[in-house]
Amino acid sequence: MKPSAQPGHIDHIKQTNMGVVYRYIDREGPISRISLSKKSQLAPASITKITRELMDAHLVRETEFPGLGFRGRPAVGLKTDCDGWHFLCIRINRGELVFALRELSGKLLAEDIIAFPADSRDFVTLFLAQVDAFFSRNHRITERLTAIAITTDAIVDPANGIIRHSPYYQLTDLPVAEILYQHTGMPVFLQHGISAWSLAEYFFGAAKECRNIIQLVIDENVGAAIITDGALLHAGSHSTAEIGHTQINPQGKPCYCGNHGCLETEIGLHHVLEMAAQFLAVPEGQPLTAEMLCRAALDGNPAARELIEQVGQHIGDIAAVMVNIFNPEIILIGSPLNPASSVLFPAIRARITQRALPAFSRELTMTSCEFTNCGTLPGAALIKEVLYNGSLLIRLMDG
């Protein structure tokens, strides 16, 4: 290795080791230093040094274990110290912003939903004004601010904090992380909504005990995210695992990507409800919703059941290929059609069973996502990820 590369290499090792230690303390604390050494496979001396630094930064503290019935000095373990450490989550939705102030533990302290009909010409000015207004409204409860997490269903470059293209606000190559950093002085982390949503399910939700996860989203957009061996696939790139623009019907409707009959144009929620409107009657002036379609299917309407089954078959064909490649423990389904899971899920599973390797599909679990994609919990999961990989810890310890 060249001498010039050595300092960066050492810094990366320090960051990684610190993240590993913090993760075990956060997830299993109170935990002893001996257990930390065994689980992290780091030398006791390294554990002592890292935990001392975390304690000096007031990110970790010592605590006595609950009484175990032994005599003598009480056992001492380590746990995270999240009191007073806050971060801001921002969710950019169509026509609205969702702000949340949270502790490092993820605990919600304050949340606001703000109408935001901005266009690209005044987006930055209005966006920063709303950030300032949220801090102003909550200044009495805000303590040590550590970071900002932004999630949105746009084409993003997480590594560089850039929104490449947003269908909501006609944004192109907006360096939102740098703009917000210059405005607030805090590190900013950006991620695609579906990817961050999957992290939320992994850290807090339906896939909490799993290391290998496929999440499928059937909504206005059709998408996927993959976690393999506990790490988000494509975490630092500009793309999620793209399935929505897989062509399934060459004679289908034109898609904005330039193709015809993409998965998104065939089973996206807008298209599904258009199809349902041909056979479901609704009161005049009332829009047809996914909830109405699901209720009709559960009430035995054959056309409604067939439509939802077709959605499951199409997404199941793609899922079967993904199962063969990634061999997941669990498939999470995030969709407004989930109330009819008794119709949708068997259709997906039947296609996977038919087309994927039996050894991979036999033990596969399928379940609904516990959370939704429109709130700020995915942003909290993004902060959890950068704590666990050490990148945010290093920044906090450097002041």
Side-chain angles (χ1 to χ4, degrees):
M1 181 178 293
K2 295 179 181 178
S4 60
Q6 187 70 21
H9 177 66
I10 293 173
D11 289 345
H12 181 71
I13 292 174
K14 177 182 178 181
Q15 173 184 311
T16 300
N17 289 346
M18 189 165 291
V20 167
V21 171
Y22 184 88
R23 181 177 75 242
Y24 280 117
I25 296 173
D26 187 46
R27 300 189 77 166
E28 301 186 24
I31 183 172
S32 70
R33 289 173 174 82
I34 294 175
S35 294
L36 274 176
S37 180
K38 291 178 180 178
K39 289 178 178 292
S40 66
Q41 298 183 330
L42 294 174
S46 297
I47 293 295
T48 299
K49 183 175 185 299
I50 291 171
T51 55
R52 184 185 298 120
E53 290 177 343
L54 290 171
M55 290 174 63
D56 289 345
H58 303 288
L59 290 162
V60 164
R61 61 184 174 88
E62 288 185 329
T63 184
E64 292 183 1
F65 282 102
L68 300 177
F70 299 125
R71 295 181 178 180
R73 184 179 177 182
V76 174
L78 296 163
K79 64 182 294 184
T80 51
D81 187 0
C82 298
D83 293 345
W85 290 101
H86 296 167
F87 63 91
L88 175 66
C89 293
I90 304 174
R91 169 72 190 185
I92 304 175
N93 289 326
R94 187 191 301 272
E96 70 177 19
L97 299 175
V98 186
F99 292 97
L101 185 69
R102 293 178 179 270
E103 287 187 348
L104 281 188
S105 64
K107 178 183 176 181
L108 180 64
L109 301 175
E111 186 172 64
D112 287 341
I113 301 175
I114 307 296
F116 194 67
D119 61 34
S120 58
R121 291 168 297 179
D122 58 4
F123 179 90
V124 171
T125 301
L126 295 177
F127 179 70
L128 294 178
Q130 291 294 350
V131 172
D132 291 342
F134 178 81
F135 282 136
S136 178
R137 287 192 298 273
N138 295 283
H139 72 278
R140 293 183 182 277
I141 62 172
T142 303
E143 297 187 43
R144 291 172 290 186
L145 285 166
T146 60
I148 298 174
I150 304 176
T151 59
T152 184
D153 289 335
I155 298 174
V156 299
D157 177 353
N160 296 298
I162 298 172
I163 298 176
R164 292 297 183 192
H165 174 72
S166 169
Y168 308 150
Y169 299 105
Q170 293 78 50
L171 302 176
T172 302
D173 294 335
L174 179 71
V176 64
E178 179 62 24
I179 290 170
L180 208 46
Y181 172 74
Q182 293 296 332
H183 189 71
T184 65
M186 284 182 285
V188 180
F189 301 93
L190 172 70
Q191 186 55 268
H192 189 279
I194 293 177
S195 297
W197 184 7
S198 293
L199 287 173
E201 298 290 344
Y202 171 57
F203 287 131
F204 314 119
K208 192 171 182 180
E209 302 302 321
C210 301
R211 299 279 294 172
N212 298 286
I213 305 156
I214 290 176
Q215 179 171 342
L216 303 173
V217 176
I218 313 165
D219 206 327
E220 293 295 341
N221 299 311
V222 177
I226 297 159
I227 293 176
T228 179
D229 195 25
L232 181 68
L233 190 69
H234 300 318
S237 74
H238 69 279
S239 178
T240 55
E242 178 56 64
I243 65 169
H245 296 287
T246 303
Q247 188 184 65
I248 62 171
N249 179 12
Q251 283 73 50
K253 296 196 303 184
C255 179
Y256 64 86
C257 74
N259 215 332
H260 284 75
C262 290
L263 194 64
E264 192 161 293
T265 59
E266 295 294 312
I267 69 166
L269 189 62
H270 180 75
H271 174 79
V272 171
L273 293 180
E274 278 185 347
M275 297 290 292
Q278 298 176 19
F279 58 81
L280 284 183
V282 296
E284 186 175 350
Q286 184 175 347
L288 178 62
T289 65
E291 182 182 0
M292 295 176 186
L293 174 59
C294 292
R295 191 182 308 121
L298 295 176
D299 288 343
N301 184 302
R305 290 183 65 89
E306 182 180 358
L307 180 56
I308 292 176
E309 286 173 351
Q310 287 176 356
V311 171
Q313 290 162 4
H314 284 312
I315 199 82
D317 288 341
I318 303 297
V321 177
M322 299 172 74
V323 166
N324 274 349
I325 295 172
F326 296 104
N327 188 15
E329 303 158 60
I330 188 170
I331 290 182
L332 302 176
I333 308 295
S335 176
L337 300 177
N338 279 359
S341 60
S342 60
V343 180
L344 178 64
F345 288 13
I348 299 173
R349 182 175 286 280
R351 280 300 217 258
I352 294 174
T353 300
Q354 179 184 3
R355 302 190 175 205
L357 187 68
F360 287 2
S361 63
R362 192 177 298 118
E363 303 298 326
L364 186 61
T365 300
M366 183 179 300
T367 190
S368 298
C369 292
E370 188 170 327
F371 310 119
T372 66
N373 190 28
C374 58
T376 60
L377 195 59
L382 183 55
I383 295 299
K384 187 72 74 173
E385 182 191 37
V386 294
L387 286 169
Y388 285 2
N389 69 26
S391 57
L392 180 55
L393 291 175
I394 293 295
R395 295 192 187 205
L396 296 181
M397 296 176 70
D398 289 343

